[in-house]
Amino acid sequence: MEIKTSELFCILTPLSPKLDKREAARIFQEADSNKTKLIGLDLSFVQDCSIDFYEELSSFAKNSFIGLFNIPSEIFTIFNVMNLDKEVSLFVNEIDFKANKHRILNRKFCIV
């Protein structure tokens, strides 16, 4: 896992292609130690996530701010289906995360 910290941000980049229970525990343990900063999770190398990762992410997001960016399309679809996009801030890239602009939203409009 690659960790980049600055005065305001802590950006975690998992280098494993699969985020399972062990990787999720490592990521959120590191995020807990940097709670005073805005936590960003770069998913550019990730190809698959287990349900344990989604559960850990959901429980962490209830207590702290976390933003995800560089999300593969398959994982992004699962975020939308599980409504995790309502709990976690999703961004296209690191620049948008740092500026807190251009957040990806799924509004789920329907025609009545």
Side-chain angles (χ1 to χ4, degrees), residues 7 13 20 24 30 35 46-47 53 63-64 74 81 83 102-103:
E7 291 180 18
T13 306
D20 55 4
E30 186 64 38
K35 269 196 171 174
V46 178
Q47 297 172 359
F53 172 75
N63 300 327
S64 302
E74 297 87 10
V81 169
N83 288 327
H102 308 291
R103 185 175 170 201

Side-chain angles (χ1 to χ4, degrees), residues 46-61:
V46 178
Q47 297 172 359
D48 188 25
C49 297
S50 69
I51 190 68
D52 298 316
F53 172 75
Y54 296 115
E55 290 172 353
E56 287 279 334
L57 178 63
S58 178
S59 65
F60 183 82

Side-chain angles (χ1 to χ4, degrees), residues 3-97:
I3 304 166
K4 292 188 268 183
T5 58
S6 66
E7 291 180 18
L8 299 175
F9 304 105
C10 176
I11 298 176
L12 306 171
T13 306
L15 301 175
S16 172
K18 180 170 174 71
L19 295 181
D20 55 4
K21 187 173 186 171
R22 184 178 145 272
E23 289 292 324
R26 288 181 57 212
I27 290 168
F28 294 112
Q29 180 182 10
E30 186 64 38
D32 273 337
S33 65
N34 289 302
K35 269 196 171 174
T36 59
K37 301 175 183 176
L38 296 175
I39 306 295
L41 193 57
D42 182 0
L43 298 179
S44 55
F45 295 112
V46 178
Q47 297 172 359
D48 188 25
C49 297
S50 69
I51 190 68
D52 298 316
F53 172 75
Y54 296 115
E55 290 172 353
E56 287 279 334
L57 178 63
S58 178
S59 65
F60 183 82
K62 291 177 182 167
N63 300 327
S64 302
F65 175 83
I66 186 166
L68 278 67
F69 52 92
N70 294 334
I71 307 165
S73 60
E74 297 87 10
I75 296 172
F76 177 70
T77 304
I78 294 172
F79 281 140
N80 287 329
V81 169
M82 295 178 70
N83 288 327
L84 282 173
D85 60 327
K86 308 299 184 233
E87 300 174 14
V88 178
S89 298
L90 305 177
F91 299 95
V92 175
N93 55 28
E94 185 175 345
I95 296 167
D96 291 341
F97 166 71

